[in-house]
Structure formats: structure tokens, C-alpha cells
Amino acid sequence: MKQYRLTDWLPTTKKEMELRGWDEVDVILFSGDAYVDHPSFGAAVIGRILEAENLRVAIVPQPNWRDDLRDFKKMGRPRLFFGITAGCMDSMVNRYTANKRLRSNDAYTPDARPDMRPEYPTIVYTQILKRLFPDVPVVVGGIEASMRRLTHYDYWQDSLRPSILVDSGADILVYGMGEKPIIELARRIVPGTPTSGLLPLVKDVPQIAYLARQMRPLQGDLVLHPHEECLQDKKKQAENFRHIEEESNKLTACRILQQTGGQTVVINPPYPPMTEQELDHSYDLPYTRLPHPKYKGKRIPAYDMIKFSVNIHRGCFGGCAFCTISAHQGKFIASRSKESILREVKAIMELPDFKGYLTDLGGPSANMYRMKGNNAELCKRCKRPSCIHPVICPNLNTDHRPLLDIYRAVDALPGIKKSFIGSGVRYDLLLHHSKDPYINEAAREYTRQLILHHVSGRLKVAPEHTADRVLRIMRKPSFSLFKSFKEIFDRINHEAGLRQQLIPYFISSHPGCHEEDMAELAAITKQLDFHLEQVQDFTPTPMTVSTEIWYTGLHPYTLEPVFSAKTQREKLAQRQFFFWYKQEERRNIVNELRRLGRPDLIDKLYGGKGKR
């Protein structure tokens, strides 16, 4: 077991700086999360990637914003810039339920304390630093900033908000996975550069956003409807979103401009997907993979969830309407080398409480490793948000053999007893019929290996709904595919004498979903012998198709009206059908089905008992 010293972490205090012999730093990072030095925590990744550029980097995790602001002053003034992230999750999703109730815990905080970060830390931290150090550049990033880079609907304020650059006063916004833009910014910003002289140095850096006073569009720019017009006309907001999503999913995107007040929000096109070498470099940095020693004796739930897991790729080409992954990580898959993955597994094996079980070998979707278009030229011209909806693209290589090779190589390591797959599996990829018989055979072999060797008793998958018309809006495959996968799952378990469970995820109150759809979901899942556990109400989050539909009432791609359940009564009426099997829900459900004129569903759920 490797022994670490305090100086193996990035410094979090002046004293830790002095232990390294530093009297100043180049970059100071502020994070809404606790500091866990692990590649799953964005602040740690950015800190380590800048450190690899021979920069001195400090991190201030969860600064106190309520007192005399000493946490914001203690490290002094950085030579280059401040960096800010709200954390691994959007702060409002982290703080509130779908019904806008305060959560009682925060998984990214020691002992899950719920009061260690403000709402919208990106805004709060930036405004504080701008008051204290008005001439030091502030760069914001992470999921909260990334998803709020343009006009967006905020569910918790129930209003259309401008770019977070406007609300925060930040100088630069890095969107998406930030290693490459943050390195380029650090190389270009000259020590002591005042904010007034910043833009000429960095304005052409890819994958950043900034505010400009006067911006005349250039040929090829995409000019959106101004923010103020979107406030007055929801159709214009819907039209904007289609363009934003399409540009987010193109290999060669346009620069995006949006007038907001007297300024222009400028979104530079993103970098190309990271190469294997670039991604390996990020994951091979000298992380301790442990929380900072200041948290000794305290539990950080989010760390406990991932400390024995390995992320093998980035990106997702599923394009689910309610998901932000492709808007943040992109739809093109960037995969790590087998050697890098094995190095990380060996590092995990050195952790003191590792017992031989990896909790996950996966990514945003478990089984997209190394998948890409067969003809790269076709991908360059494509702007589809999903490679697998409404049908799987014939240009997509769905070969599972590279992934099977990773599983076998990991499981062959002495000391690994079992590797589980905790990420969501796309069963539509497993059931896809390719023209290549070897790819089809690999999909069957992967399915068998997954079920026999990589399930910890329960395999979680996400059909999300049973109604095809709702699933089309969600950009999810027909529920008939889930049924087919369940048959395969049950058969393989039966043949092997296993009693593993398939655990499906479902969403209620998604745009396009009516009460009757939920009632039918209840009847269908009962017939399949499910008592649902993994369920949730749809929560509108910035920069998803589903949120734009929910807010505008229009589908951005057709501009046709779409119903959404919005009131508390409408949401509860839909959610109750998840729990048809609970005695306390029966009376309300029976009454609701009578009101809907669906006595047939009463029979399917309760037989003759429901009629009494």
C-alpha cells in the first residue's frame, strides 16, 4: 500500500503552500464539492492537468461564503486566474428534488452535510472574487456553467435566464470537458494580465464562451434570436435550442452568437474529441485517488460510490432528450487505451480497503467503448443528435469485441475477484442486427458475459417508459426491445441457475406523457412481474430537449405543441401509478382510472378486487 504525504495533494491552505516552498500560485480553483483527488472529480482533473503544465495550482473546496470571506482571501492573488466550478452536479439538482423540496443531504460533502455550498456557486463565488480581486480574470466551468452558457430555462426560478456569464460577471466560460481549453488559456494568459486586456489574448481559443461589447457576425457564424426576444416569444427560444443542440453534436461546429442586453454572448466551436493519447494523459496524472486528509474520519458518499470504479470512455451518442451528457461531453466517443485502464485498475488495487471487487468498468453508457462511424467523412457532415434514434445509424460500428477484451484483461489481473458493470447498458445496441455476422456474434457474447460475470445480483437498465409515443419524444427505443432483452436475461439466468434481477428505470411526467400512459405503464410492468423501485419525476434541467419542450410547450424540431404535466396534482396523478401495488395507493388509482374511462386497466391491475 502506497504511503502519501500531505504535499501529494494540491494545496488547500497557505500552510500547505509553504510546505511545498511556494509563496504564490499561478491558478486558484474554487469548487462547490469537497476535494477528492480522483479523475471523477472535475476540480481535481483541472488542477492536475494544469500542474502537468508546470503551473502551481491550489484548490479551495467548499469555501465559506457567509462569513468574512477569509476562504476567498487566504491563498492570495493568483498570477494567472481564478477557476470556479459548482461541482460534479448542477447545484440546484443537488439541492432540490423534482418537487422543489430541499434535499436532506449532499453526496459531495463530508458526512453528506446539506449546507456547505450556496445555490448557484458559480455565480456566488465569482461575484465574491470580483469584489475582492476586481482585476484578476475569473474562468468558470463544470456542468453548472456549461449547461447555462446561453439563454436557458431555470426550473427553480421558473424563468428564462441569460447566459451565466451575465449573471456571474465571469470573464471566460469553459464548456464541456475542460482539459484542452484550460491548458490553452493558461498558456496564453500572461501573468498579471488585467481583465481589460484578457480577450485579445484568448478570444479565439476553442470551447470557451465570453461576452463582447460589439460583435459583428462573420461568415459561417450562427446568430441566435436575442435573449430579450426569447423572453417575449417561446417559439424563438425553441428555434434557438434546435440550433444549439445541433451545433453541440457536430464535429465541425459554427461559432454561436447571441445578443443579450447591450452585449453579445460568443460561443467558440469546441475542440475535436480527445484522442486516446490525450485521454490517457488526463487519467494517468498522479492522483492519490483519495479525499484530502482534512476529511479524515468523515465520509463523502459520492467518493464511496466511485472509489473502486474505472471510467473507460467519454461521450455518449444516445442523445436522450432529458440528458445533458452529449451537450457536455459530446456524442463522439473518446476511449482510453487498454494499458491506461489497466494502470488505473492496478492503482485501485493498492487502496487500503480494496477487497478485489471493481464496482464499475464503464462510462456514460456502459457499452459504447471504441464505437464510432465506419466512414469518418459521413460523421463530419452529420448533425443528428443521436446515432441510435430513431434507428441505429448504418454507419455506426457497434462492435463489442474491444470491450470484451477490456473485461477479460481486467478480470485476468491477480487480485481481481470480479468486475461489475454499474453504468447503464444500452440494450438496443446489444439487440441491433448488423450486416457483419462477427459483430452480431460479439453482441451475443457480450450479453452472455455481462449477465453471467458482471452483474452484482441486479442489472440496472433504463427503458424510461412503455408508451412508444412518449419514448419517441425521449429518443429512447421501443419498449418491445426491453421485453426482448428481458427474455434473454431470464433465459441466461435460468440456464446458469442464477437468480439475478433486472431493475428498470422509469420517468413520470416527461413531456408528452399523459396519465393514461402511466396507467398503461403500470399494467404492462405488472404483467412483467415488476414492483418498480427506480423511478423519478421528470426534472427540467438546463440545455436539454425535454426541458425546452416543458418550458415552451413546443418541440424544438417540429415546433408542434406537446403536453407536459406541470401542476403538483398532475405530477402526483402520474407518479402514483408507479406504486399500484401499495395498498394506500389503490383507492386513488381506481378512482382515477374510472375518471379516465379505463375500467380495463382496473381489471389488469386489481382483477375483481378493484371494482368493490
Side-chain angles (χ1 to χ4, degrees):
M1 185 180 74
K2 184 173 180 179
Q3 298 295 317
Y4 289 102
R5 300 165 300 171
L6 184 58
T7 49
D8 289 322
W9 281 263
L10 299 174
T12 66
T13 64
K14 196 79 169 176
K15 182 178 179 182
E16 290 171 39
M17 282 173 54
E18 292 166 357
L19 285 174
R20 287 176 170 240
W22 297 355
D23 54 3
E24 64 177 352
V25 292
D26 297 302
V27 178
I28 302 174
L29 303 176
F30 287 83
S31 173
D33 291 340
Y35 173 30
V36 180
D37 191 39
H38 187 284
S40 290
F41 288 74
V45 173
I46 296 302
R48 290 297 187 185
I49 207 85
L50 289 171
E51 180 187 55
E53 294 290 305
N54 295 315
L55 295 173
R56 294 179 175 184
V57 185
I59 181 168
V60 182
Q62 300 189 313
N64 190 337
W65 74 100
R66 299 185 181 101
D67 61 3
D68 60 3
L69 307 181
R70 67 187 68 181
D71 283 347
F72 293 88
K73 306 171 192 172
K74 65 182 180 181
M75 310 295 271
R77 178 189 296 265
R79 293 175 69 244
L80 299 181
F81 58 83
F82 290 112
I84 291 174
T85 174
C88 291
M89 282 180 68
D90 185 284
S91 67
M92 303 305 282
V93 176
N94 192 42
R95 189 172 175 82
Y96 292 99
T97 69
N99 290 319
K100 300 185 181 179
R101 292 194 181 124
L102 274 171
R103 298 188 192 275
S104 58
N105 55 65
D106 180 341
Y108 293 89
T109 296
D111 291 336
R113 279 185 57 174
D115 59 347
M116 294 295 286
R117 77 177 89 211
E119 296 179 1
Y120 309 102
T122 306
I123 296 173
V124 174
Y125 296 170
T126 301
Q127 290 179 346
I128 290 170
L129 288 171
K130 281 297 181 185
R131 288 201 303 272
L132 297 175
F133 305 95
D135 214 29
V136 178
V138 174
V139 179
V140 298
I143 194 76
E144 181 168 274
S146 184
M147 296 301 98
R148 290 172 160 82
R149 57 190 184 257
L150 288 157
T151 296
H152 59 279
Y153 173 69
D154 187 290
Y155 173 64
W156 300 274
Q157 296 184 10
D158 190 25
S159 65
L160 203 62
R161 303 298 307 165
S163 166
I164 200 168
L165 283 165
V166 174
D167 283 338
S168 67
D171 300 289
I172 299 290
L173 184 154
V174 170
Y175 67 91
M177 307 302 275
E179 292 103 321
K180 292 176 78 170
I182 205 72
I183 288 171
E184 188 61 24
L185 287 171
R187 288 173 178 170
R188 293 200 190 189
I189 296 175
V190 179
T193 299
T195 54
S196 58
L198 182 65
L199 280 185
L201 299 176
V202 303
K203 65 181 180 180
D204 61 335
V205 173
Q207 211 167 307
I208 68 165
Y210 58 89
L211 288 173
R213 287 290 174 194
Q214 298 291 332
M215 180 60 64
R216 190 171 292 175
L218 302 176
Q219 186 174 2
D221 284 349
L222 172 62
V223 181
L224 300 177
H225 297 299
H227 172 71
E228 287 72 21
E229 291 184 15
C230 293
L231 290 174
Q232 303 300 321
D233 187 344
K234 290 182 177 180
K235 182 180 176 183
K236 289 186 175 180
Q237 173 64 15
E239 288 173 342
N240 272 1
F241 184 80
R242 175 176 180 171
H243 295 307
I244 293 166
E245 187 184 45
E246 286 179 341
E247 293 305 314
S248 297
N249 287 293
K250 285 165 64 175
L251 270 176
T252 52
C254 300
R255 187 174 69 161
I256 299 175
L257 307 180
Q258 185 183 32
Q259 287 290 326
T260 303
Q263 302 179 93
T264 303
V265 179
V266 182
I267 311 289
N268 286 348
Y271 278 97
M274 292 179 82
T275 65
E276 180 186 281
Q277 185 178 13
E278 289 168 339
L279 197 55
D280 283 358
H281 171 61
S282 182
Y283 279 90
D284 289 346
L285 294 168
Y287 304 98
T288 64
R289 302 187 64 84
L290 297 165
H292 190 277
K294 68 192 284 186
Y295 307 122
K296 185 176 181 181
K298 296 181 179 179
R299 177 174 170 262
I300 301 172
Y303 169 68
D304 289 345
M305 288 177 62
I306 54 85
K307 65 180 174 180
F308 302 139
S309 70
V310 179
N311 192 8
I312 64 175
H313 74 266
R314 286 184 185 171
C316 179
F317 49 70
C320 297
F322 47 82
C323 182
T324 60
I325 290 172
S326 65
H328 188 66
Q329 295 192 14
K331 76 173 181 182
F332 296 98
I333 304 300
S335 299
R336 296 170 65 185
S337 69
K338 181 164 73 171
E339 293 73 23
S340 175
I341 293 165
L342 293 177
R343 281 194 293 272
E344 186 172 0
V345 172
K346 290 172 184 175
I348 291 173
M349 292 165 67
E350 294 292 315
L351 293 174
D353 49 350
F354 182 69
K355 301 292 191 290
Y357 297 95
L358 289 174
T359 54
D360 189 24
L361 267 176
S365 288
N367 55 323
M368 292 184 180
Y369 180 74
R370 291 216 181 285
M371 292 186 182
K372 60 182 180 180
N374 289 304
N375 183 342
E377 291 304 311
L378 291 178
C379 293
K380 287 179 182 177
R381 299 198 295 270
C382 177
K383 59 181 182 180
R384 275 177 57 176
S386 172
C387 301
I388 53 180
H389 187 273
V391 295
I392 292 178
C393 176
N395 187 45
L396 180 65
N397 182 346
T398 59
D399 192 354
H400 283 77
R401 283 174 290 186
L403 190 50
L404 280 167
D405 182 47
I406 293 293
Y407 290 0
R408 289 166 181 151
V410 169
D411 289 350
L413 291 172
I416 295 294
K417 296 176 183 176
K418 199 158 189 174
S419 58
F420 299 115
I421 308 306
S423 312
V425 174
R426 289 298 303 228
Y427 51 81
D428 45 349
L429 287 173
L430 298 178
L431 298 172
H432 173 60
H433 186 75
S434 169
K435 292 179 181 178
D436 185 335
Y438 293 104
I439 288 179
N440 293 331
E441 179 55 35
R444 287 190 290 271
E445 175 63 14
Y446 176 87
T447 304
R448 185 170 182 81
Q449 291 296 318
L450 171 73
I451 295 168
L452 291 180
H453 302 296
H454 300 285
V455 176
S456 60
R458 312 173 98 202
L459 178 63
K460 296 176 181 178
V461 294
E464 307 295 7
H465 214 286
T466 57
D468 281 350
R469 65 190 182 89
V470 180
L471 288 166
R472 278 193 293 272
I473 293 174
M474 290 179 164
R475 296 185 184 146
K476 296 288 286 187
S478 170
F479 191 69
S480 62
L481 283 183
F482 172 78
K483 289 181 177 177
S484 298
F485 182 72
K486 183 180 185 302
E487 289 173 5
I488 296 169
F489 182 86
D490 291 344
R491 175 177 55 77
I492 292 175
N493 274 282
H494 178 73
E495 291 170 354
L498 298 172
R499 301 184 63 184
Q500 299 178 137
Q501 291 179 288
L502 194 62
I503 307 297
Y505 280 71
F506 289 97
I507 296 176
S508 61
S509 301
H510 189 275
C513 179
H514 295 256
E515 258 185 83
E516 204 164 336
D517 297 314
M518 293 302 299
E520 290 177 349
L521 182 152
I524 292 168
T525 54
K526 183 200 174 185
Q527 185 183 19
L528 294 172
D529 201 25
F530 285 116
H531 282 197
L532 301 182
E533 307 168 27
Q534 301 293 335
V535 299
Q536 66 181 53
D537 290 334
F538 169 68
T539 304
T541 56
M543 213 167 173
T544 71
V545 183
S546 302
T547 296
E548 296 302 321
I549 297 172
W550 197 90
Y551 166 68
T552 65
L554 304 170
H555 196 294
Y557 284 76
T558 65
L559 299 180
E560 293 177 355
V562 178
F563 166 80
S564 293
K566 291 192 174 182
T567 68
Q568 191 77 347
R569 195 209 73 78
E570 289 173 331
K571 289 183 167 213
L572 289 173
Q574 290 204 18
R575 183 178 173 81
Q576 68 182 343
F577 287 105
F578 283 141
F579 308 109
W580 60 268
Y581 54 87
K582 292 186 177 181
Q583 185 63 38
E584 62 269 26
E585 300 287 354
R586 178 178 294 187
R587 176 180 291 180
N588 285 340
I589 287 174
V590 168
N591 289 339
E592 200 63 19
L593 289 174
R594 285 177 180 150
R595 187 185 71 79
L596 292 171
R598 294 298 304 269
D600 58 312
L601 293 178
I602 298 175
D603 288 341
K604 287 179 180 178
L605 289 176
Y606 303 114
K609 298 176 185 176
K611 295 180 179 179
R612 291 201 294 271

